[in-house]
Amino acid sequence: QVQLVESGGGLVQSGGSLRLSCATSGFNLYDYAIGWFRQAPGKEREGVSCIRSSDGSTYYTDSVKGRFTISRDNAKNMVYLQMNSVKPEDTAVYYCVLYQYPGGNCPLGPFGSWGPGTQVTVSS
């Protein structure tokens, strides 16, 4: 059974840093693209970043380029999102998302499993 569990969220001041973690189980992380989405209050869910299985190449939405870094540790079945220079507009629930098929199509999808999410709040 596929499971994704996020951790590392919390309250951080504007300009600070936070590292989100996603613990995965039930599948071979090496074979799949995986990423992070977020949803702010009153807004649609948006794709933040993803990392491909084939070569480890990455995608970032424009608003986080140069500030966020996604990484994966296939041996530990972990995915990370390092968030630096955070802004109040980064406040959202962050979700770890598994692409549906081996190889996947980061960032387009389709998407398979989602974690329950972790809240990130950035104070000004």
Side-chain angles (χ1 to χ4, degrees), residues 95-110:
Y95 300 91
C96 182
V97 182
L98 177 67
Y99 283 70
Q100 187 170 6
Y101 301 112
N105 188 7
C106 154
L108 299 179

Side-chain angles (χ1 to χ4, degrees), residues 62-122:
D62 286 346
S63 61
V64 308
K65 282 181 182 176
R67 301 188 299 121
F68 290 11
T69 302
I70 189 172
S71 61
R72 61 196 293 161
D73 186 333
N74 292 332
K76 295 182 178 180
N77 296 316
M78 295 293 295
V79 183
Y80 305 99
L81 185 68
Q82 179 67 43
M83 305 168 61
N84 296 331
S85 303
V86 295
K87 305 175 181 180
E89 51 263 44
D90 294 322
T91 295
V93 177
Y94 283 72
Y95 300 91
C96 182
V97 182
L98 177 67
Y99 283 70
Q100 187 170 6
Y101 301 112
N105 188 7
C106 154
L108 299 179
F111 308 106
S113 299
W114 294 67
T118 185
Q119 176 70 47
V120 172
T121 303
V122 182

Side-chain angles (χ1 to χ4, degrees), residues 3-108:
Q3 284 196 317
L4 308 171
V5 180
E6 304 93 340
S7 62
L11 177 63
V12 60
Q13 287 190 332
S14 182
S17 297
L18 208 59
R19 189 176 83 153
L20 305 184
S21 299
C22 175
T24 75
S25 61
F27 64 99
N28 190 345
L29 180 59
Y30 178 84
D31 292 329
Y32 288 82
I34 194 163
W36 292 90
F37 274 65
R38 66 185 179 186
Q39 187 166 22
K43 294 188 177 182
E44 292 188 357
R45 200 171 285 188
E46 68 164 339
V48 175
S49 178
C50 57
I51 184 166
R52 300 176 182 91
S53 60
S54 55
D55 58 2
S57 58
T58 57
Y59 160 85
Y60 298 94
T61 193
D62 286 346
S63 61
V64 308
K65 282 181 182 176
R67 301 188 299 121
F68 290 11
T69 302
I70 189 172
S71 61
R72 61 196 293 161
D73 186 333
N74 292 332
K76 295 182 178 180
N77 296 316
M78 295 293 295
V79 183
Y80 305 99
L81 185 68
Q82 179 67 43
M83 305 168 61
N84 296 331
S85 303
V86 295
K87 305 175 181 180
E89 51 263 44
D90 294 322
T91 295
V93 177
Y94 283 72
Y95 300 91
C96 182
V97 182
L98 177 67
Y99 283 70
Q100 187 170 6
Y101 301 112
N105 188 7
C106 154
L108 299 179

